[in-house]
């Protein structure tokens, strides 16, 4: 019954920005971590950024200085601010979370981000 729902994806021109949102709901009290993965067609899913319950953030080298993660694991919300988008950032972005007590893994349905050249 735990769900992660993403929003904010869409089509943007190169150099533009998008802000993705993820809202968790269900019986989970708090997440150990929340974050974002992305997957381009024909590519492996990769971690983009994560936020731990202690507030530490982890940003993939490929998007450091470009993307910023924020949120509140206690409130089961996480955001991904994406700036200076380029076509290579195109893909499906998935919200991801791990529960605190049992380290269960949850995935959102994904939101499409398309960056035009």
């Amino acid at each position: 019954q735990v769900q992660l729902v993403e929003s904010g994806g869409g089509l943007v021109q190169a150099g533009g920005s998008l802000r993705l949102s993820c809202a968790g709901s269900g019986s989970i009290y708090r997440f150990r971590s929340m974050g974002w993965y992305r997957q381009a067609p024909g590519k492996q899913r990769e971690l983009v950024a994560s936020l731990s319950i202690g507030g530490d953030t982890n940003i993939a080298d490929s998007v450091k200085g470009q993307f910023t993660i924020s949120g509140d694991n206690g409130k089961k919300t996480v955001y991904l601010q994406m700036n200076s988008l380029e076509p290579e950032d195109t893909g499906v972005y998935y919200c991801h979370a791990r529960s605190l007590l049992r380290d269960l893994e949850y995935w959102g349905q994904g939101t499409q981000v398309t960056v035009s050249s």
Side-chain angles (χ1 to χ4, degrees):
Q1 57 188 306
V2 174
Q3 290 187 316
L4 302 174
V5 180
E6 305 100 331
S7 62
L11 176 64
V12 65
Q13 295 182 166
S17 298
L18 287 173
R19 180 177 171 86
L20 305 183
S21 300
C22 176
S25 63
S27 60
I28 293 293
Y29 172 69
R30 187 173 296 185
F31 290 119
R32 181 185 306 275
S33 66
M34 299 187 72
W36 296 90
Y37 286 72
R38 69 182 180 185
Q39 187 168 24
K43 302 294 184 180
Q44 295 183 9
R45 189 173 299 186
E46 62 177 352
L47 176 66
V48 177
S50 63
L51 173 69
S52 75
I53 191 171
D56 294 332
T57 60
N58 180 33
I59 308 294
D61 290 342
S62 60
V63 298
K64 282 184 178 177
Q66 181 188 3
F67 293 1
T68 302
I69 189 169
S70 62
D72 187 338
N73 288 354
K75 295 183 177 181
K76 294 172 285 187
T77 58
V78 67
Y79 306 94
L80 185 68
Q81 179 66 47
M82 306 185 294
N83 299 321
S84 302
L85 286 165
E86 300 293 339
E88 51 264 40
D89 297 313
T90 293
V92 179
Y93 284 69
Y94 297 90
C95 184
H96 174 266
R98 289 186 178 273
S99 66
L100 176 62
L101 298 181
R102 305 178 71 174
D103 199 28
L104 302 178
E105 190 173 24
Y106 303 96
W107 293 93
Q109 79 287 349
T111 184
Q112 177 70 43
V113 172
T114 302
V115 184
S116 62
S117 60

